[in-house]
Amino acid sequence: MPKIRLPDGAVKSFDGPITVAEVAQAIGPGLARAALAGRVDGRLVDTSHRIDRDVDVSIITERDREGVEILRHSAAHLLAYAVKELFPEAQVTIGPVVENGFYYDFSLKRPFTPDDLGAIEKRMTELAKRDFPVTREVWPRDRAVEYFKSIGEHYKAEIIASIPGNEEVSLYREGDFIDLCRGPHVPLPASSRSSKLMKVAGAYWRGDSRNEMLQRIYGTAWAKKKSRMRTCACWRKPRSATTAS
């Protein structure tokens, strides 16, 4: 019978194991709708995370700094999904959160154009509206390496191969797209629907000028459109700018 200690000191008891999403629902339906992730004993986890012991829990929403970062990281994955649908020959590499937004690096023989960014952004919106669940999977490292090699994602396979062989890796699946990530992620892609792609830049693979020059797409995301537009004002370079990094 896990006891859940909330940030205000209140304690809720449950008859058996429960997920973070169910904790939010027990607190209130409004919080359940707003929940993006949870913090369990100080660790950020998905709303699907299962709790089977006494723990401290807080629910992460868009009002939290971590919530905004999770929205943006999930938007980066949605960007990669959209690029793979529109440009199947592109290879995905990494896509972290940065100040005011996120980016994702791609290997593609031809350069992305401003028109491409518009098409990618449109596809991201279409994918988000499908509201497929974003689910976490844990695989043995070697299985993950072989999988990404088998689908031609050699950069991703190289990243995973650098993880110690005795470790498992976490992958996130949304629709037909699966990617390496520690997480957490929003439970549904619609949570990060308000996204805006800003520009394309150059970036060397692993930051080494001896490696291939990749294409880095920058973007931002907010839960609310008004917040997104305020952030867009922070980007001053034109959308088609290209710089090496």
Side-chain angles (χ1 to χ4, degrees):
M1 181 180 293
K3 293 181 179 180
I4 307 301
R5 292 177 293 274
L6 302 175
D8 63 0
V11 176
K12 287 186 174 291
S13 297
F14 298 91
D15 294 334
I18 191 170
T19 66
V20 169
E22 290 168 334
V23 172
Q25 183 64 51
I27 298 170
L31 184 61
R33 289 190 297 271
L36 299 176
R39 186 179 291 280
V40 176
D41 280 349
R43 182 168 69 95
L44 284 173
V45 297
D46 300 301
T47 57
S48 61
H49 178 79
R50 183 179 170 90
I51 301 168
D52 59 5
R53 58 187 176 84
D54 296 353
V55 291
D56 294 325
V57 174
S58 58
I59 305 301
I60 304 298
T61 73
E62 65 181 76
R63 294 179 179 273
D64 300 296
R65 176 185 58 80
E66 299 95 331
V68 174
E69 291 179 352
I70 291 166
L71 280 170
R72 290 172 175 171
H73 192 55
S74 295
H77 279 239
L78 196 63
L79 163 61
Y81 189 0
V83 167
K84 288 297 294 184
E85 283 215 336
L86 294 172
F87 307 93
E89 69 278 19
Q91 290 191 58
V92 297
T93 63
I94 59 171
V97 172
V98 294
E99 185 179 4
N100 292 325
F102 60 88
Y103 70 78
Y104 210 113
D105 289 348
F106 301 93
S107 173
L108 183 65
K109 292 190 181 300
R110 76 163 184 80
F112 289 117
T113 67
D115 287 343
D116 290 335
L117 292 192
I120 294 166
E121 193 173 286
K122 180 180 178 183
R123 182 58 59 92
M124 289 173 68
T125 301
E126 292 169 352
L127 291 171
K129 287 180 179 178
R130 296 179 194 174
D131 257 7
F132 39 69
V134 180
T135 56
R136 182 176 184 268
E137 302 177 12
V138 178
W139 290 18
R141 187 209 67 169
D142 290 348
R143 177 190 171 198
V145 170
E146 290 307 312
Y147 170 76
F148 282 100
K149 283 182 178 179
S150 74
I151 62 172
E153 295 289 356
H154 300 293
Y155 290 92
K156 195 67 68 173
E158 181 180 328
I159 294 169
I160 299 171
S162 67
I163 297 171
N166 60 343
E167 291 188 15
E168 294 181 321
V169 297
S170 63
L171 307 174
Y172 279 80
R173 186 185 299 273
E174 47 188 302
D176 298 324
F177 182 68
I178 187 167
D179 201 357
L180 171 73
C181 191
R182 286 192 298 269
H185 278 283
V186 298
L188 295 169
S191 302
S192 53
R193 186 179 297 171
S194 187
S195 301
K196 181 69 178 175
L197 301 184
M198 309 306 298
K199 64 175 182 175
V200 180
Y204 292 111
W205 170 236
R206 294 190 179 277
D208 189 333
S209 61
R210 294 169 295 181
N211 292 337
E212 179 188 356
M213 174 70 78
L214 305 173
Q215 297 188 70
R216 176 171 293 177
I217 298 179
Y218 283 97
T220 190
W222 287 91
K224 290 183 173 62
K225 196 169 185 178
K226 288 183 180 179
S227 299
R228 185 197 78 180
M229 297 311 295
R230 285 198 297 271
T231 301
C232 288
C234 297
W235 295 82
R236 298 303 182 190
K237 292 183 180 180
R239 189 159 140 167
S240 58
T242 55
T243 57
S245 61

